Amino acid sequence: MVKYLKQDEAIKIDELLFNEYKFSVDQLMELAGVSCADAIARCYPDRQRVLVACGPGNNGGDGLVCSRHLKHYGYLPTVLYPKQPDNELYKRLAQQCKTVDIPILTNVEECGDVNKKFDIIVDALFGFSFKPPVRPLFVPIIDLLKSIKLPICSIDIPSGWHVENGKPDDGIQPELLISLTAPKLCAKSFCGKFHYLGGRFVPFALAEQYELNLPLYPGTDKCVPLQA
Amino acid sequence: MVKYLKQDEAIKIDELLFNEYKFSVDQLMELAGVSCADAIARCYPDRQRVLVACGPGNNGGDGLVCSRHLKHYGYLPTVLYPKQPDNELYKRLAQQCKTVDIPILTNVEECGDVNKKFDIIVDALFGFSFKPPVRPLFVPIIDLLKSIKLPICSIDIPSGWHVENGKPDDGIQPELLISLTAPKLCAKSFCGKFHYLGGRFVPFALAEQYELNLPLYPGTDKCVPLQA
């Protein structure tokens, strides 16, 4: 059975991918974002209008890349990106979205009536390095995700959940969770419809070292469904 | 009908992708390499042992990325990389191959009896910025490609061909050509079995500006067959 990672294991594997296996953030984020877009397209082929809520870190970066690929797949993404860090990579990723006519909003109020204007929400707020509590700027977005009627697709971690302990009593309830590299412990309390694994780049030696027991990705697929 | 680019147009579009559209080489090379691996896997599902001949520039970089993804797809790539430039990106890409146990050879003689040891060859020697003549170091590899009985898959440009004028009298004869971004003029004299387009990242405004008339990629496919 696939291994569910503790927070420190996830952090360590991430460090190894960069330092030992010599990947750049650009590379892995591109591959992670592609696999998220592919999983979303597979689960929601007919839900075109996508609101992608992006946080200030790498999870948000994955969300920006995912948005761009969704646009190329014919979807109509809108990015909600309230805190845009002064970081060269994130600025480039945001610019890449803008040049394919993806609107970037900075305030949740700009989204309007989300239940009417969108068909689906991608939660790319916080990833595996998240530690509670949620910062005030993001509280209204988490509240929106809690109250919304649309399906939520969470990238790697359902935002606001504890990476190891899982869903808090009033936590968001994603319908699709796309675990990246390997699922984190919190995914054990995921009870949505679809659980996918993405990020088909884990070197075999690293997977062995951490006994990840990753499932086989079929053919050239960039994502694979995980058994409940 | 899809546009076939002149050399200066290909160079200009490449520059725009980096300078105007803010892509990094890492990003585009990753996406280009994935689409090459996907096209190869589609055309040759049963030819596992792949020799990937990589040149010293970006075409070789695409070949390294392609090799890594082929390995993840279950293929058995070997890289022939005679001139390894002292460049951080290429060194990282080569290292990424090594860490998934892809042998990297530096000399064509090390390849042994290529017809027996491999099922297919990927030609990632020279790309759209190539100007003849072929440098002496690469002449034996081009000679090998000319004499070989195995199918050749050329990335973007069949190596040794003039980017605009196409196949020289004694040029190599790839069976699969994967044009990246948009086909180059030389592809008009391609008469192999499979012609694919890869690199599903061209911003719509750029495609319009250059009247590329790109075909629609189906679903989430990373490559699409081009009509002869």
Side-chain angles (χ1 to χ4, degrees):
Chain A
M1 191 183 140
V2 68
K3 184 168 181 181
Y4 289 73
L5 300 178
K6 292 183 200 167
Q7 188 171 40
D8 63 344
E9 290 173 318
I11 290 170
K12 186 68 193 160
I13 287 173
D14 209 45
E15 283 173 7
L16 286 170
L17 285 168
F18 296 125
N19 302 331
E20 191 79 19
Y21 292 96
K22 303 296 179 192
F23 284 100
S24 69
V25 186
D26 291 48
Q27 282 183 290
L28 296 192
M29 207 167 264
E30 200 62 40
L31 294 176
V34 166
S35 53
C36 293
D38 284 18
I40 291 166
R42 197 180 299 184
C43 298
Y44 304 100
D46 301 317
R47 291 183 175 260
Q48 289 221 307
R49 300 169 305 165
V50 188
L51 180 63
V52 185
C54 294
N58 281 353
N59 203 257
D62 295 339
L64 293 172
V65 174
C66 171
S67 304
R68 171 164 41 84
H69 287 285
L70 283 175
K71 182 81 184 201
H72 280 283
Y73 298 166
Y75 286 76
L76 298 168
T78 294
V79 166
L80 172 60
Y81 198 24
K83 185 167 163 55
Q84 303 178 24
D86 188 25
N87 163 305
E88 206 43 53
L89 172 60
Y90 300 138
K91 283 200 275 189
R92 284 197 292 97
L93 294 176
Q95 178 62 19
Q96 290 160 21
C97 285
K98 285 180 197 158
T99 56
V100 288
D101 301 319
I102 297 174
I104 300 195
L105 313 178
T106 52
N107 195 304
V108 72
E109 277 88 52
E110 292 175 77
C111 299
D113 186 346
V114 173
N115 280 309
K116 285 195 181 150
K117 290 180 67 182
F118 298 97
D119 304 310
I120 193 178
I121 297 203
V122 176
D123 153 33
L125 289 173
F126 313 122
F128 61 78
S129 50
F130 172 75
K131 292 197 192 285
V134 171
R135 278 184 282 174
L137 180 62
F138 293 99
V139 169
I141 305 181
I142 295 286
D143 286 345
L144 174 72
L145 292 175
K146 283 178 191 168
S147 65
I148 211 80
K149 293 189 186 80
L150 306 174
I152 298 172
C153 313
S154 288
I155 295 184
D156 208 26
I157 308 279
S159 293
W161 286 27
H162 188 285
V163 178
E164 297 186 358
N165 302 342
K167 185 178 168 303
D169 288 340
D170 63 341
I172 69 166
Q173 291 271 25
E175 187 171 282
L176 162 64
L177 171 63
I178 306 144
S179 292
L180 294 171
T181 311
K184 318 305 171 286
L185 264 178
C186 64
K188 292 212 171 194
S189 59
F190 171 73
C191 55
K193 233 167 152 180
F194 311 109
H195 188 192
Y196 272 78
L197 180 68
R200 191 177 183 174
F201 49 66
V202 182
F204 315 113
L206 182 60
E208 265 182 43
Q209 182 188 346
Y210 279 85
E211 298 174 327
L212 299 182
N213 292 320
L214 299 178
L216 286 176
Y217 288 77
T220 62
D221 289 2
K222 306 336 177 217
C223 61
V224 56
L226 287 173
Q227 298 301 322
Chain B
M1 191 183 141
V2 66
K3 183 167 181 180
Y4 288 73
L5 300 178
K6 293 184 199 168
Q7 188 171 40
D8 62 344
E9 289 172 318
I11 291 171
K12 187 65 194 164
I13 286 173
D14 209 46
E15 283 172 7
L16 286 170
L17 285 168
F18 296 125
N19 302 332
E20 191 78 20
Y21 291 96
K22 303 294 179 194
F23 284 101
S24 70
V25 185
D26 292 50
Q27 282 183 291
L28 295 192
M29 207 168 264
E30 201 61 39
L31 295 176
V34 165
S35 53
C36 292
D38 284 17
I40 292 166
R42 196 180 299 184
C43 298
Y44 304 101
D46 300 317
R47 293 184 173 260
Q48 289 220 307
R49 301 170 304 166
V50 188
L51 179 63
V52 185
C54 294
N58 281 353
N59 203 257
D62 294 339
L64 294 171
V65 174
C66 172
S67 303
R68 171 163 43 83
H69 287 285
L70 283 175
K71 182 82 183 201
H72 280 282
Y73 298 165
Y75 285 76
L76 298 168
T78 294
V79 165
L80 172 59
Y81 198 23
K83 185 166 165 55
Q84 302 177 25
D86 188 25
N87 163 304
E88 207 43 54
L89 172 61
Y90 299 139
K91 284 201 274 189
R92 284 197 292 96
L93 294 177
Q95 178 63 17
Q96 290 161 19
C97 284
K98 285 181 196 159
T99 56
V100 287
D101 302 318
I102 297 174
I104 300 196
L105 313 178
T106 53
N107 194 303
V108 71
E109 275 88 52
E110 292 175 76
C111 299
D113 186 345
V114 174
N115 280 309
K116 285 194 179 148
K117 290 180 66 184
F118 297 96
D119 303 311
I120 193 179
I121 297 201
V122 176
D123 154 33
L125 290 174
F126 313 122
F128 62 78
S129 49
F130 173 73
K131 292 198 192 282
V134 172
R135 277 184 282 172
L137 180 63
F138 293 99
V139 169
I141 306 182
I142 295 287
D143 286 345
L144 174 72
L145 293 176
K146 283 178 190 170
S147 65
I148 210 78
K149 293 189 186 78
L150 306 174
I152 298 171
C153 313
S154 288
I155 296 184
D156 207 26
I157 309 278
S159 294
W161 286 27
H162 187 286
V163 178
E164 296 187 358
N165 302 341
K167 185 180 167 300
D169 288 341
D170 64 340
I172 69 166
Q173 290 272 23
E175 187 171 284
L176 162 62
L177 172 63
I178 306 143
S179 292
L180 294 171
T181 311
K184 318 304 171 288
L185 263 178
C186 65
K188 292 214 168 191
S189 59
F190 171 72
C191 54
K193 232 165 150 180
F194 311 108
H195 189 192
Y196 273 78
L197 180 68
R200 192 177 183 174
F201 50 66
V202 181
F204 314 113
L206 182 59
E208 264 183 44
Q209 182 188 344
Y210 279 85
E211 298 174 327
L212 299 183
N213 291 319
L214 299 178
L216 286 176
Y217 288 77
T220 63
D221 289 2
K222 306 334 176 220
C223 60
V224 57
L226 287 173
Q227 299 301 323

